[in-house]
Amino acid sequence: MSENLEVISRHRCFEGTQTFYKHASGTIGLPMRFSVFVPPQAEQGRVPVLFYLAGLTCTEETFMIKAGAQRRAAELGLMLVSPDTSPRGAGVPGEDDDWDFGTGAGFYLDARREPWSKHYRMESYVTRELFELATTVLPGDPERAGIFGHSMGGHGALTLALRHPGRYRSVSAFAPIAAPARCPWGEKAFSGYLGDDRSQWAEHDASELMARASMPFPEGILIDQGLADNFLELQLYPEAFEAACQQAGQPLTLRRHEGYDHGYYFISTFMDSHLEFHARQLKK
């Protein structure tokens, strides 16, 4: 499998390495890109691995360039993996028409509707193919994996953690789309990728999934939300996920921050505490 990985660029970073890869994805059926920070501790063996899912319009570069995560990850011995946010060049009519659907907006699910279903299979890509690459070819430990993300990627982190029990030992999010079945972004994506059956939508809605769960993460979930976020009222609904966690008996730390918006200045401010949150759980 290693011969399938093409190194786009590699950089020394906090005594570890920051690498950007391209490979022929069997799951997607197209070339995919992802980025990896490997901490210096990987020279001694496998290390905990933390997958980061980025938001709408982002790429595999966004997190590694903007979040400022590598310094603390190197200190904690965490490997960081961030995929692209959708297939590129799938040739689906209209895939580049809107910023919130199609290219750059895969929503971390496997599409059911044609013509999207052929290539738009981000759930399988992240949870199977990328996970296998990170924990076989690369030095991630499959028994110590966590997941987190931002906005659309926060939705992805929460839903994939809930839909794949045992795969991820820790989960957190920044300003996630926490109830996509009831917000414009989610309604657009779900109707386009999944069709009109709302029971299928519920299977990819973190609040709906959590409401039916029974404390899947007993050591807690962490969410940070800025109160100056322009998308908070219309798109994000953290209060719906909070209520679902209460119903499920799920420990949740939902931190609301005055003055912070939806962008990477907010994310970078609280990045260290998320890395520390995951490290505590993944190193046990």
Side-chain angles (χ1 to χ4, degrees), residues 206-229:
S207 296
E208 296 280 353
L209 290 168
M210 180 58 76
R212 306 198 304 263
S214 179
M215 200 171 63
F217 290 91
E219 295 185 55
I221 294 172
L222 172 63
I223 292 177
D224 278 304
Q225 175 63 61
L227 294 181
D229 189 323

Side-chain angles (χ1 to χ4, degrees), residues 33-277:
R33 294 177 182 241
F34 66 95
S35 57
V36 179
F37 172 72
V38 175
Q41 293 85 342
E43 295 177 6
Q44 308 303 319
R46 294 201 171 272
V47 292
V49 55
L50 187 53
F51 294 85
Y52 179 89
L53 307 182
L56 291 164
T57 76
C58 294
T59 71
E60 76 286 349
E61 294 183 314
T62 309
F63 169 73
M64 298 299 184
I65 292 173
K66 291 185 174 183
Q70 292 93 336
R71 176 191 58 81
R72 191 69 180 119
E75 292 170 355
L76 295 168
L78 294 175
M79 180 172 135
L80 305 173
V81 180
S82 185
D84 201 352
T85 52
S86 77
R88 305 276 169 173
V92 177
E95 70 178 343
D96 296 322
D97 289 355
D98 297 316
W99 67 276
D100 56 356
F101 183 74
T103 302
F107 266 81
Y108 303 104
L109 52 76
D110 289 352
R112 290 174 172 266
R113 285 189 66 185
E114 294 288 351
W116 305 97
S117 57
K118 181 177 181 181
H119 296 298
Y120 278 70
R121 305 185 67 243
M122 290 299 294
E123 177 173 5
S124 291
Y125 176 72
V126 170
T127 62
R128 297 177 187 173
E129 187 172 14
L130 185 62
F131 190 94
E132 184 178 357
L133 283 169
T135 58
T136 56
V137 178
L138 298 169
D141 184 345
E143 301 301 320
R144 293 183 292 164
I147 191 166
F148 69 150
H150 168 236
S151 194
M152 176 185 73
H155 142 77
L158 295 173
T159 56
L160 297 186
L162 290 167
R163 284 172 56 81
H164 298 270
R167 175 116 290 190
Y168 307 102
R169 283 175 48 183
S170 58
V171 58
S172 72
F174 297 92
I177 304 173
R182 67 179 80 175
C183 79
W185 281 339
E187 289 173 347
K188 183 174 184 176
F190 286 178
S191 60
Y193 294 136
L194 300 175
D196 297 328
D197 182 356
R198 284 183 172 261
S199 67
Q200 293 294 326
W201 297 16
E203 297 303 314
H204 299 276
D205 183 302
S207 296
E208 296 280 353
L209 290 168
M210 180 58 76
R212 306 198 304 263
S214 179
M215 200 171 63
F217 290 91
E219 295 185 55
I221 294 172
L222 172 63
I223 292 177
D224 278 304
Q225 175 63 61
L227 294 181
D229 189 323
N230 290 337
F231 302 113
L232 176 56
E233 184 175 347
L234 185 62
Q235 302 281 12
L236 303 181
Y237 291 96
E239 67 277 6
F241 189 73
E242 186 175 39
C245 286
Q246 291 174 350
Q247 182 175 330
Q250 169 62 53
L252 170 69
T253 301
L254 174 53
R255 306 188 298 195
R256 295 173 168 92
H257 305 281
E258 292 286 350
Y260 285 91
D261 61 22
H262 197 68
Y264 272 82
Y265 296 113
F266 154 63
I267 293 169
S268 62
T269 299
F270 302 102
M271 178 55 61
D272 281 6
S273 64
H274 279 250
L275 297 177
E276 291 156 8
F277 168 83

